[in-house]
């Protein structure tokens, strides 16, 4: 039964009960346990290489038992309702980002926006209107088996077990997902990153902000490609946060791009110049998006830093990037006060070093050379993210 791998079925947009979710996850993991037993009985593994076969199947058993334990410890029962809600919220974000990724590439999002019945991208839109039959009329968009397994295997590094006193699984273990190029590794760890961000915000409140995950690459081109994919997940999480009601706090959920100046402007002054003289004039530029990732409309950059007294401290001195379609959730009016809807705001990206240092993004994308410069680049003055005198 593949229901337990479907994004929307597992999410908060589904009317399925928490017990059904847990039962579905258990069935999924038990099917892996059955596969292990079949391999143990297979004649191919009884001969000369039975020793190595048993060794590897024993490792499979360890993972099977770890997944089962994680479901019991973190997702089952009334005491774990909050953690299961976080798990379902993560699946909601993964469904939203995939829906927009597919529909934006097909340039179909604006057909929804221009419909007379459209209000905005709210909970009801994704529950009722957004269909999860994205690749086939018969099959719902879902995790691949190894992706689901990797997430279930790794949640004991996000949630702490009572019997893991020193939290070894977080502090001393490394869980590696190995799969061929194009096989879906990115979605697996983006799911874990989303769950990490959600859990930090809910468990630690305002202290759970700042950078939750770092992704480090050796090549700038690969960094840019992966950044574009991850941005949709962050946009989904930020939109959920703006809806309210999910304990994700007041601080925006952002993604930061931290690479060399040949790829992106490193200062706010350069970023403003890039917006004003290139992006807004539709000239070749260094901004990592051609269009709004959410609806595929044109994007525009603001030509001054956010210094308005009505603005949140979390937006102070940022240079915003926004969608040009005023019905999109990632667009807003010329003044902050004129925003008409709670869901609206800038595209949640930090594109200059200055912004990244002052407002550490939830997910930071960077290259090895930038991390090597960290000790020499961070400004130790009091112009930090919480230094606003109004706070």
């Amino acid at each position: 039964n593949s229901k337990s791998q479907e994004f929307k079925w597992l999410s908060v947009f589904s009317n399925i009960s928490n017990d059904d979710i847990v039962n579905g996850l258990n069935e999924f993991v038990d099917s892996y346990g059955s596969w292990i037993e079949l391999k143990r009985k297979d004649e191919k593994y009884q001969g000369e290489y039975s020793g190595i076969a048993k060794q590897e199947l024993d490792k499979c058993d360890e993972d099977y038992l770890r997944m089962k334990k994680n479901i019991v410890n973190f997702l089952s029962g009334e005491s774990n309702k909050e953690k299961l809600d976080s798990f379902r919220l993560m699946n909601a974000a993964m469904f939203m980002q995939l829906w927009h990724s597919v529909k934006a590439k097909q340039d179909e999002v604006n057909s929804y926006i221009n419909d007379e019945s459209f209000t905005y991208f709210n909970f009801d839109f994704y529950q009722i209107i957004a269909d999860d039959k994205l690749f086939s009329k018969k099959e719902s968009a879902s995790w691949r088996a190894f992706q689901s397994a990797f997430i279930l295997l790794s949640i004991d590094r996000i949630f702490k077990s009572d019997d893991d006193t020193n939290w070894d699984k977080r502090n001393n273990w490394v869980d590696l997902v190995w799969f061929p190029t194009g096989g879906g590794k990115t979605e697996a760890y983006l799911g874990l990153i989303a769950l990490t961000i959600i859990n930090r915000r809910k468990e630690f409140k305002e202290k759970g902000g700042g950078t939750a995950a770092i992704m480090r690459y050796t090549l700038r081109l690969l960094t840019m490609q992966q950044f574009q994919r991850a941005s949709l997940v962050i946009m989904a999480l930020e939109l959920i946060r703006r809806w309210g009601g999910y304990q994700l706090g007041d601080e925006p959920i952002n993604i930061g791009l931290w690479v060399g100046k040949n790829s992106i402007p490193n200062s706010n002054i350069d970023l403003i110049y890039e917006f004003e003289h290139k992006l807004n004039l539709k000239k070749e530029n260094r901004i990592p998006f051609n269009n709004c990732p959410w609806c595929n409309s044109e994007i525009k950059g603001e030509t001054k830093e956010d210094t308005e007294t009505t603005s949140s401290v979390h937006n102070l001195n940022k240079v915003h990037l926004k969608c040009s379609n005023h019905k999109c959730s990632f667009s807003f009016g010329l003044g902050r006060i004129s925003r008409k809807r709670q869901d609206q705001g800038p595209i949640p990206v930090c594109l200059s070093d200055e912004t990244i240092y002052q407002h550490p993004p939830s997910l930071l994308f960077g290259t090895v050379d930038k991390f090597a410069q960290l000790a020499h680049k961070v400004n130790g003055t009091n112009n930090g993210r919480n230094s606003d005198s109004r706070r």
Side-chain angles (χ1 to χ4, degrees):
N1 184 357
S2 62
K3 278 288 182 185
S4 59
Q5 293 171 246
E6 295 175 7
F7 295 117
K8 195 169 183 179
W9 189 85
L10 289 166
S11 77
V12 294
F13 303 130
S14 166
N15 292 321
I16 300 301
S17 71
N18 285 347
D19 287 342
D20 286 337
I21 296 290
V22 171
N23 290 337
L25 294 174
N26 273 313
E27 287 178 13
F28 167 73
V29 175
D30 285 339
S31 68
Y32 180 51
S34 298
W35 177 86
I36 296 171
E37 291 308 310
L38 286 174
K39 293 298 177 184
R40 289 194 187 280
K41 297 174 183 177
D42 195 321
E43 291 182 1
K44 289 188 295 184
Y45 303 107
Q46 306 301 320
E48 181 181 358
Y49 300 106
S50 60
I52 190 70
K54 181 181 183 302
Q55 172 187 299
E56 296 308 306
L57 288 170
D58 286 346
K59 291 178 183 178
C60 292
D61 256 333
E62 289 178 12
D63 283 352
Y64 163 74
L65 293 172
R66 183 179 170 194
M67 285 188 282
K68 290 289 288 184
K69 183 177 180 180
N70 285 347
I71 293 173
V72 171
N73 284 354
F74 305 119
L75 303 179
S76 302
E78 191 62 29
S79 61
N80 286 319
K81 183 180 181 301
E82 199 66 43
K83 293 183 177 67
L84 183 57
D85 286 347
S86 296
F87 179 81
R88 297 188 70 168
L89 206 57
M90 176 270 289
N91 278 281
M94 294 303 292
F95 166 65
M96 290 165 65
Q97 66 88 25
L98 184 61
W99 189 90
H100 281 275
S101 175
V102 172
K103 297 298 183 181
K105 287 176 183 176
Q106 297 171 349
D107 200 22
E108 293 181 1
V109 181
N110 281 314
S111 64
Y112 291 89
I113 290 178
N114 295 328
D115 191 284
E116 291 182 0
S117 63
F118 179 81
T119 51
Y120 64 97
F121 291 117
N122 56 14
F123 182 95
D124 289 344
F125 178 86
Y126 297 103
Q127 183 182 52
I128 301 168
I129 298 173
D131 191 358
D132 64 348
K133 304 292 192 295
L134 295 173
F135 306 106
S136 165
K137 292 182 179 180
K138 294 182 179 180
E139 296 183 5
S140 297
S142 62
W143 296 103
R144 296 175 185 178
F146 86 91
Q147 295 170 339
S148 291
F150 184 68
I151 289 172
L152 291 174
L153 193 70
S154 305
I155 57 175
D156 53 17
R157 302 177 67 228
I158 298 173
F159 306 129
K160 186 178 184 300
S161 174
D162 292 337
D163 61 2
D164 190 359
T165 308
N166 298 319
W167 209 345
D168 286 331
K169 292 183 179 66
R170 183 191 69 176
N171 300 325
N172 298 319
W173 291 28
V174 174
D175 285 307
L176 172 70
V177 56
W178 187 95
F179 218 76
T181 299
K185 293 185 296 295
T186 300
E187 285 73 21
Y189 55 70
L190 285 178
L192 282 178
I193 288 171
L195 184 57
T196 300
I197 292 171
I198 292 167
N199 182 60
R200 279 168 57 100
R201 297 291 183 105
K202 291 173 70 172
E203 184 173 357
F204 302 109
K205 311 307 178 187
E206 69 275 2
K207 293 182 180 179
T211 299
I214 294 174
M215 305 201 59
R216 187 184 67 181
Y217 290 89
T218 53
L219 301 174
R220 287 198 179 99
L221 179 60
L222 181 61
T223 307
M224 299 290 275
Q225 291 172 339
Q226 295 294 305
F227 173 82
Q228 291 167 345
R229 296 177 69 181
S231 293
L232 278 166
V233 178
I234 297 301
M235 293 173 79
L237 289 171
E238 169 59 8
L239 183 54
I240 292 171
R241 185 199 67 82
R242 292 176 189 173
W243 290 343
Y246 291 104
Q247 306 175 53
L248 298 184
D250 296 326
E251 180 181 338
I253 297 174
N254 285 298
I255 183 171
L257 184 58
W258 200 40
V259 295
K261 63 182 180 181
N262 290 333
S263 300
I264 195 166
N266 282 174
S267 69
N268 282 356
I269 292 175
D270 289 343
L271 186 60
I272 289 171
Y273 180 88
E274 197 80 10
F275 283 164
E276 187 171 13
H277 298 284
K278 295 183 179 181
L279 176 69
N280 294 352
L281 298 178
K282 302 178 183 179
K283 294 182 179 179
E284 186 175 346
N285 58 76
R286 291 178 288 169
I287 305 306
F289 304 108
N290 295 319
N291 298 89
C292 172
W294 210 243
C295 72
N296 203 38
S297 300
E298 292 182 1
I299 51 176
K300 292 184 177 181
E302 294 204 321
T303 56
K304 64 177 183 178
E305 292 182 339
D306 187 341
T307 58
E308 295 187 20
T309 56
T310 56
S311 182
S312 163
V313 64
H314 299 297
N315 285 320
L316 190 66
N317 300 331
K318 285 185 178 179
V319 182
H320 296 305
L321 182 67
K322 59 185 181 181
C323 179
S324 62
N325 189 326
H326 294 300
K327 289 187 176 182
C328 180
S329 293
F330 297 96
S331 175
F332 52 90
L334 295 177
R336 305 291 182 276
I337 301 176
S338 67
R339 291 215 303 256
K340 295 181 180 179
R341 302 197 315 253
Q342 183 182 359
D343 69 296
Q344 289 191 306
I347 297 173
V349 293
C350 300
L351 297 178
S352 75
D353 288 15
E354 289 180 46
T355 301
I356 287 171
Y357 296 152
Q358 186 173 352
H359 302 284
S362 305
L363 173 57
L364 177 63
F365 264 72
T367 46
V368 171
D369 57 330
K370 294 293 285 190
F371 281 95
Q373 299 173 25
L374 182 61
H376 305 284
K377 291 291 185 180
V378 173
N379 189 335
T381 67
N382 63 356
N383 186 30
R385 64 197 292 258
N386 295 322
S387 65
D388 178 33
S389 60
R390 297 187 302 276
R391 179 158 176 150

